[in-house]
């Protein structure tokens, strides 16, 4: 590579700069008509006079000289290297900000694109609605608390923890009331679990409908939850071991969300949680107290939890008798569908993104199972014809998101990327047509089909469904 | 499973993640044997918390089960339900509960006498029909329980039992399940249950509930030559490319996979303005907006379009040049009233005078 024929794609690239497809900070060959080193050093020593200006016009027809100034100084250094290395940036030459400003830390302003978002037209109001987690911008297995997806039925509330109580009643020896202080005094557990809305990917039953992984799969988050095992509270209240079969969980918000949970599960791994990722729950996620029902659709993890009733029959509450019921092809609704079966998705690259050039990419994504742990994830680059096994990254925990990675070299040709998880029960994530054969396409909930992302020749990635 | 104080759980997690966690653990641990003595007080937490009083339980235990356990005695007529509906429910759900403005229609035909006889709504199989609440619901207790706990949406838990009976009766009459002169009560609600059009429409025969439930769809982990022909069946049409906003501003700016500028047509070369960072939403910093959000105003108002009440932008336009606008609006916000835009604005006494003025000022100074 000849030293002087180098240009650099830098952040300051102006509209008048020729377009480059190389990523930022990459060194590239200069086009033939570019300024040569002599002209550049001449200009930087003597400025632009009319003869040099003419010269410039010749080599850079469309641009005006004034617009070229910043370009020239970059180009002047281009032969030496990256101006972002050669010219020290301001932050290297200044005194930074004080500690504790702000006293509660915020993401960098450069991260402003990575936000929870609503899907236009999905709901009629903003309080009975959903905001989706930006899975395409997240790493590892933990969701930053501020990016945890939201699903509210009657808006979110900021409950005063000093006035919050948890009551346990019904088929118990001694109905109980706990304050937050009481609950936080009890033995606690900290567990990492995903929460996925039963309607996640629900817009995709019929056809590809939404453009990015944020909207296809973003009703999904994973946090470390800290709290008291529900089993311990049920024991303390002396639940009726002969008669009790179900519990009802109820929220303290306007919707007073209620869900039935069968007792076996309630005694298994359900947490009455106050902590999330090392701090208290966020108000949108149920502050100061929520239920976490691992592996089960999110609606059961009742937020702002105020009451647990022990009973011997299911309760058929609104969100288990009118919604969160799955319509089958024969016209029957499956009621109390709860388990989030094994599912996976490639988060990068994914719909709405662009591969900037050919070559190596780390393809990464998430896998999870409501029935146990992720055993393996296979990835296909040819629409499901051939599969390669991905690496599972970090801790592989039950009913938690698991990060997978696999290397891939893009040759510039169209490709269809898919991932397929196998869980610890041996269950293999189904293809869309297998799911539809059994459940039709109108069940709204529990779509865990294999997701396809098509990479086009232009590098654009789009959401598609294969036959 | 959760047996405290044992450390079994940690052990289990480590075991299921042998390749990762376990290797990290061995890397950190020294070879020295672990000394451990469990706390003799670990299980002495029984005294934490207290007993609930009967009055406390009565106050919170409001659920009503399908077998009507929990249903308070009382009654309400369709006729009373109709006038109450017009007052408290119609603004959002429509006079006949068929509005799509706030939520899907609760009732809109599609239920036949044959359905009522069979206990199964046939039109659920017709994908061109909207699936309403009354078409789906299999238990009348669900309607009673839900209206009682959560409606009206912007003022839940403000209805008396008799009012709830009357509203359920009105909804049932809209779906022609009961006649106009019907009076619903705890005595006859079981008879209504026996008429519910989709009462036989639910099944619990599936593997998605119980801990040990079995899967109904199965795939295999075939690795080679699995699909003969791969055909793309569906993708997002070009006209809908920008329907979710410009995707370029929804991706990290320095990612290996940058966002596509969906304001440009498909396949267009990436523009050099590719490094666009979205403006963070400005609204968080506006205390007046916080007040609107915190006080249920947005249940009836929107910033730019009419809901139950006028769009706030229209309010601004109407009063912006009015000298006494702040005082007038602050008072109207706290005291409610009617006659200007149509409909009734309920009093909002929870707002202090100062807060009401803050909102009013924001409205007229926008």
């Amino acid at each position: 590579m000849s030293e002087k024929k180098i240009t650099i794609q830098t952040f300051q690239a102006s509209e008048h700069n020729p377009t480059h497809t190389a990523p930022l900070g990459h060194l590239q060959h200069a086009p033939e008509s570019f300024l040569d080193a002599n002209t550049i050093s001449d200009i930087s020593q003597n400025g632009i006079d009319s003869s040099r200006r003419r010269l410039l016009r010749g080599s850079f027809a469309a641009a005006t000289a004034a617009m070229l100034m910043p370009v020239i100084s970059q180009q002047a250094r281009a032969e030496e290297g990256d101006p972002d290395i050669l010219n020290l940036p301001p932050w290297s030459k200044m005194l930074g900000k004080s500690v504790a400003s702000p006293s509660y830390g915020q993401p960098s302003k450069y991260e402003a694109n990575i936000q929870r978002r609503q899907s236009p037209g999905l709901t009629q109001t903003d309080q009975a609605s959903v905001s989706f987690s930006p899975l395409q911008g997240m790493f590892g297995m933990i969701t930053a608390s501020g990016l945890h997806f939201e699903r509210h039925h009657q808006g979110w509330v900021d409950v005063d923890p000093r006035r919050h109580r948890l009551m346990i009643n019904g088929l118990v020896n001694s109905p109980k009331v706990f304050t937050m202080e009481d609950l936080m005094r009890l033995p606690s557990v900290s567990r990492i679990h995903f929460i996925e809305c039963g309607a996640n990917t629900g817009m995709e039953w019929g056809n590809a409908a939404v453009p990015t992984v944020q909207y296809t799969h973003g009703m999904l988050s994973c946090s470390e939850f800290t709290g008291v095992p529900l089993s311990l509270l049920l024991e303390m209240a002396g639940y009726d071991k002969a008669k009790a079969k179900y519990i009802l969980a109820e929220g303290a918000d306007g919707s007073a969300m209620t869900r039935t949970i069968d007792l076996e599960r309630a005694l298994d791994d359900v947490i009455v949680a106050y902590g999330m990722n090392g701090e208290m729950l966020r108000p949108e996620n149920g502050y100061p107290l929520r239920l976490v029902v691992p592996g089960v659709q999110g609606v059961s993890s009742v937020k702002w939890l105020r009451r647990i009733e022990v009973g011997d029959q299911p309760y058929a509450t609104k969100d288990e008798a009118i919604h969160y019921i799955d319509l089958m092809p024969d016209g029957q609704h499956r009621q109390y569908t709860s388990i989030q079966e094994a599912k996976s998705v490639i988060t990068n690259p994914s719909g709405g993104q662009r591969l900037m050039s050919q070559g190596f990419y780390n393809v990464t994504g998430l896998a999870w199972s409501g029935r146990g742990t992720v055993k393996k994830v296979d990835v296909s680059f040819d629409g499901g014809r051939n599969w390669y096994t991905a690496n599972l990254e970090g801790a592989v925990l039950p009913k938690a998101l698991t990060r997978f990675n696999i290397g891939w070299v893009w040759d510039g040709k169209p490709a269809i990327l898919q991932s397929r998880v196998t869980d610890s029960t041996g269950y293999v994530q189904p293809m869309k047509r297998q799911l539809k054969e059994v459940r039709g396409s109108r069940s709204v909930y529990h779509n865990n089909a294999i997701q396809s992302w098509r990479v086009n020749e232009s590098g654009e990635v789009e959401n598609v469904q294969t036959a | 499973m959760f047996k405290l104080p044992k450390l079994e759980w940690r052990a289990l997690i480590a075991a299921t993640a042998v390749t990762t966690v376990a290797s990290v653990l061995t890397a950190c641990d020294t070879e020295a044997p672990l000394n451990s003595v469990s706390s003799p007080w670990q299980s002495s937490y029984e005294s934490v918390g207290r007993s609930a009083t009967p009055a406390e339980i009565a106050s919170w235990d409001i659920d009503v089960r399908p077998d009507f356990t929990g249903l308070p005695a009382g009654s309400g007529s369709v006729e009373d339900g109709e006038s109450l509906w017009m007052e408290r429910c119609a603004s959002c759900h429509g006079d006949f509960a068929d509005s799509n403005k706030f939520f899907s229609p609760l009732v809109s035909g599609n239920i036949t006498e044959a359905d009522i006889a069979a206990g199964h709504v046939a039109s659920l199989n017709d994908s061109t029909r909207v699936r309403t609440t009354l078409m789906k619901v299999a238990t009348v207790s669900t309607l009673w329980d839900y209206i009682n706990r959560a409606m009206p949406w912007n003022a839940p838990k403000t209805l008396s039992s008799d009012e709830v009976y009357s509203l359920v009766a009105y909804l049932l009459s809209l779906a022609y399940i009961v006649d106009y002169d019907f009076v619903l009560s705890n005595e006859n609600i079981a008879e209504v249950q026996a008429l519910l059009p989709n009462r036989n429409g639910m099944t619990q025969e599936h593997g998605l509930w119980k801990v040990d439930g079995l899967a109904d769809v199965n795939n295999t982990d075939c690795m080679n030559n699995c699909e003969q022909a791969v055909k793309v069946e569906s993708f997002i049409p070009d006209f809908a490319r920008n329907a979710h906003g410009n995707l370029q501003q929804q991706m990290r700016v320095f990612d290996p996979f940058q966002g596509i500028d969906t304001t440009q047509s498909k396949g267009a070369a990436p523009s050099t303005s590719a490094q666009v960072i979205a403006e963070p939403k400005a609204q968080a910093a506006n205390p007046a907006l916080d007040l609107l959000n915190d006080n249920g105003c947005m249940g009836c108002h929107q910033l730019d379009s009419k809901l139950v009440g006028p769009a706030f932008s229209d309010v601004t336009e109407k009063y912006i040049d009015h000298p006494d606008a702040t005082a007038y609006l602050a008072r109207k916000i706290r005291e409610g009233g009617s006659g200007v835009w149509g409909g009734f604005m309920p009093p909002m006494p929870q707002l202090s005078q100062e807060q009401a003025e803050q909102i009013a000022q924001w409205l007229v100074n926008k």
Side-chain angles (χ1 to χ4, degrees):
Chain A
M1 183 195 294
S2 103
E3 282 280 319
K4 57 183 183 182
K5 288 195 174 173
I6 282 175
T7 71
I8 293 166
Q9 178 79 350
T10 65
F11 184 71
Q12 291 92 341
S14 82
E15 280 168 25
H16 298 269
N17 221 358
T19 54
H20 295 285
T21 49
L24 295 182
H26 281 231
L27 304 183
Q28 251 198 342
H29 285 274
E32 288 309 318
S33 64
F34 240 70
L35 303 179
D36 65 23
N38 291 338
T39 314
I40 291 170
S41 63
D42 186 20
I43 289 171
S44 57
Q45 278 161 31
N46 305 313
I48 301 178
D49 62 20
S50 58
S51 70
R52 290 185 189 92
R53 184 168 287 146
R54 215 175 309 118
L55 193 67
L56 279 169
R57 282 189 202 284
S59 56
F60 219 151
T64 67
M67 291 309 297
L68 269 171
M69 283 308 291
V71 179
I72 289 165
S73 61
Q74 277 164 33
Q75 238 73 69
R77 301 291 206 106
E79 51 188 84
E80 295 164 40
D82 183 344
D84 281 332
I85 295 174
L86 300 177
N87 310 324
L88 285 182
W91 49 84
S92 301
K93 299 162 86 175
M94 65 186 264
L95 176 61
K97 294 179 190 171
S98 331
V99 297
S101 71
S103 47
Y104 193 98
Q106 297 293 312
S108 159
K109 63 180 182 226
Y110 301 106
E111 292 298 307
N113 287 1
I114 305 302
Q115 297 183 357
R116 299 195 278 227
R117 292 174 194 274
Q118 281 176 275
S119 186
L122 183 62
T123 57
Q124 294 96 321
T125 68
D126 292 344
Q127 296 92 347
S129 193
V130 185
S131 73
F132 295 79
S133 285
L135 302 183
Q136 75 280 10
M138 298 173 8
F139 309 105
M141 64 195 290
I142 299 288
T143 307
S145 296
L147 295 176
H148 194 293
F149 83 95
E150 297 168 279
R151 173 73 173 109
H152 314 308
H153 287 264
Q154 217 144 326
W156 61 269
V157 288
D158 201 355
V159 170
D160 181 344
R162 296 164 301 185
R163 299 185 56 195
H164 190 72
R165 306 286 182 270
L166 176 69
M167 182 184 287
I168 302 197
N169 72 316
L171 295 176
V172 295
N173 257 338
S174 148
K176 289 260 180 211
V177 170
F178 298 94
T179 60
M180 285 306 299
E181 188 184 317
D182 293 333
L183 292 167
M184 294 169 84
R185 204 163 145 173
L186 291 170
S188 70
V189 294
S190 291
R191 305 276 161 71
I192 295 173
H193 290 301
F194 74 80
I195 296 185
E196 181 186 21
C197 177
N200 199 23
T201 325
M203 291 181 278
E204 299 276 312
W205 270 104
N207 50 272
V210 289
T212 73
V213 72
Q214 178 157 16
Y215 306 108
T216 58
H217 288 76
M219 287 196 255
L220 170 73
S221 297
C222 184
S223 305
E224 184 195 55
F225 292 102
T226 298
V228 187
L230 177 59
S231 56
L232 185 138
L233 298 175
L234 291 173
E235 287 284 355
M236 285 175 80
Y239 72 95
D240 185 330
K241 292 192 167 123
K243 290 204 205 116
K245 292 217 166 54
Y246 302 95
I247 64 149
L248 179 76
E250 180 179 81
D253 61 319
S255 80
M257 172 60 71
T258 33
R259 288 275 301 178
T260 304
I261 296 151
D262 72 286
L263 188 72
E264 196 190 347
R265 187 176 293 283
L267 294 172
D268 183 7
D269 53 4
V270 177
I271 308 171
V272 174
Y274 43 81
M276 174 167 151
N277 297 333
E279 59 182 359
M280 283 296 290
L281 292 162
R282 297 284 172 97
E284 312 94 283
N285 303 118
Y287 181 89
L289 198 66
R290 79 175 301 168
L291 206 60
V292 173
V293 186
V296 164
Q297 59 184 357
V299 64
S300 289
S301 291
V302 172
K303 296 184 282 188
W304 313 288
L305 181 73
R306 77 165 189 182
R307 195 169 70 95
I308 300 279
E309 177 175 309
V310 181
D312 57 2
Q313 284 180 28
Y315 291 83
T317 68
K318 186 264 267 181
D319 286 303
E320 54 197 23
I322 302 173
H323 306 283
Y324 302 91
I325 51 176
D326 308 15
L327 183 59
M328 292 295 112
D330 63 358
Q332 290 289 104
H333 280 98
R334 286 183 176 174
Q335 195 175 18
Y336 304 110
T337 48
S338 300
I339 296 173
Q340 295 299 107
E341 295 183 292
K343 185 165 169 180
S344 71
V345 66
I346 294 171
T347 56
N348 308 79
S350 58
Q353 296 186 324
R354 178 197 294 280
L355 277 65
M356 301 301 285
S357 58
Q358 296 176 22
F360 179 85
Y361 288 97
N362 181 49
V363 171
T364 185
L366 293 165
W368 62 101
S369 168
R371 285 205 175 89
T373 51
V374 167
K375 219 168 83 189
K376 84 171 171 148
V377 177
D378 301 315
V379 172
S380 170
F381 302 96
D382 56 9
R385 216 168 280 149
N386 299 295
W387 296 82
Y388 306 89
T389 302
N391 302 313
L392 304 185
E393 191 52 51
V396 179
L397 303 177
K399 304 175 186 177
L401 293 189
T402 300
R403 173 65 60 177
F404 65 84
N405 290 311
I406 187 167
W408 180 49
V409 170
W410 184 46
D411 58 8
K413 300 208 183 82
I416 294 177
L417 275 55
Q418 300 179 334
S419 65
R420 181 186 68 195
V421 59
T422 303
D423 76 7
S424 48
T425 69
Y427 174 88
V428 181
Q429 182 182 8
M431 292 182 263
K432 188 61 173 293
R433 64 166 185 266
Q434 296 172 320
L435 204 57
K436 279 184 175 175
E437 267 161 31
V438 180
R439 303 192 194 159
S441 59
R442 296 184 297 142
S443 77
V444 182
Y445 303 95
H446 298 106
N447 179 358
N448 67 329
I450 290 171
Q451 168 70 41
S452 304
W453 304 118
R454 177 163 68 188
V455 180
N456 296 314
E457 270 164 339
S458 65
E460 285 191 19
V461 186
E462 63 177 329
N463 178 14
V464 300
Q465 293 191 5
T466 57
Chain B
M1 199 179 252
F2 264 130
K3 282 201 197 77
L4 292 150
K6 304 273 163 52
L7 286 170
E8 282 161 4
W9 239 93
R10 282 162 189 273
L12 183 76
I13 291 178
T16 53
V18 239
T19 47
T20 50
V21 175
S23 55
V24 173
L25 287 181
T26 42
C28 310
D29 288 352
T30 57
E31 290 298 306
L34 287 172
N35 276 332
S36 90
V37 178
S38 1
S39 155
W41 306 285
Q42 182 68 31
S43 304
S44 315
Y45 47 76
E46 289 292 336
S47 62
V48 177
R50 64 169 175 85
S51 296
T53 70
E56 287 172 338
I57 296 173
S59 166
W60 274 14
D61 185 355
I62 57 170
D63 61 86
V64 179
R65 265 187 354 191
D67 66 353
F68 306 114
T69 304
L71 182 68
S75 68
S77 67
V78 173
E79 204 180 341
D80 288 348
E82 182 176 26
S83 46
L84 193 59
W85 179 271
M86 297 309 159
E87 210 178 297
R88 308 222 42 198
C89 323
S91 55
C92 291
H93 292 295
D95 288 358
F96 303 103
D98 57 352
S99 166
N100 202 20
K101 195 164 70 177
F102 274 77
F103 197 65
S104 329
L106 308 185
V107 192
S108 75
N110 296 339
I111 297 173
T112 65
E113 272 180 30
D115 295 340
I116 293 179
H120 202 287
V121 174
S123 57
L124 285 169
N125 270 335
D126 180 348
S127 53
T128 64
R129 308 284 182 91
V130 52
R131 283 179 252 159
T132 65
T133 310
L134 267 286
M135 283 162 71
K136 289 187 282 179
V137 70
T139 34
V140 70
S141 60
T142 306
L143 294 175
W144 205 103
D145 174 273
Y146 180 65
I147 293 171
N148 182 53
R149 73 173 57 245
M151 288 293 133
W153 197 49
N154 53 334
K157 303 178 195 72
T158 55
L159 298 167
S160 71
S161 298
D162 286 350
E163 287 176 329
V164 177
Y165 276 107
S166 70
L167 290 163
V168 173
Y170 178 65
L171 284 173
L172 293 167
S173 79
L174 288 176
Y176 303 110
I177 299 162
V178 301
D179 293 330
Y180 189 76
D181 58 5
F182 188 73
V183 180
L184 180 69
S185 72
N186 56 306
E187 304 282 331
N188 64 13
I189 196 165
E191 293 158 32
V192 172
Q193 171 62 41
L195 296 174
L196 218 57
N198 204 40
R199 63 188 176 276
N200 298 325
M202 300 287 156
T203 171
Q204 295 169 20
E205 297 296 307
H206 57 77
L208 289 184
W209 192 11
K210 301 293 171 153
V211 173
D212 54 3
L214 292 179
D216 59 343
V217 180
N218 293 296
N219 193 4
T220 59
D221 64 344
C222 166
M223 299 301 286
N224 292 305
N225 289 318
C226 306
E227 293 283 284
Q228 294 321 308
V230 176
K231 196 174 144 252
V232 169
E233 203 175 48
S234 140
F235 53 90
I236 296 175
D238 276 355
F239 67 80
R241 197 171 150 77
N242 205 33
H244 280 68
N246 189 353
L247 301 180
Q248 189 176 57
Q249 297 184 4
Q250 303 183 22
M251 307 289 166
R252 191 168 277 114
V253 293
F254 48 91
D255 210 89
F257 312 110
Q258 298 192 1
I260 298 171
D261 181 353
T262 46
T263 62
Q264 306 295 310
S265 58
K266 196 169 173 174
S271 62
T272 43
S273 56
Q275 295 86 28
V276 175
I277 299 178
E279 286 300 317
K281 280 194 183 159
Q283 49 168 249
N286 188 330
L289 274 179
D290 287 347
L291 284 173
L292 298 179
N293 274 316
D294 292 350
N295 288 285
C297 316
M298 305 310 277
C300 289
H301 292 278
Q302 285 181 350
L303 298 181
D304 300 317
S305 55
K306 181 180 155 52
L307 266 183
V308 178
F312 283 132
S313 55
D314 292 341
V315 175
T316 301
E317 204 169 305
K318 183 171 168 74
Y319 295 103
I320 195 142
D321 295 324
H322 201 291
D324 303 327
T326 311
Y328 165 76
L329 287 175
R331 181 162 168 198
K332 174 92 170 231
I333 290 168
R334 289 192 76 203
E335 295 175 8
S338 59
V340 184
W341 305 89
F344 178 74
M345 155 100 185
M348 296 278 153
Q350 79 273 26
L351 287 170
S352 68
Q353 179 64 24
E354 267 178 3
Q355 289 173 318
E357 279 170 14
Q358 193 173 8
I359 296 173
Q361 252 156 26
W362 171 77
L363 279 168
V364 290
N365 295 332
K366 258 198 301 180

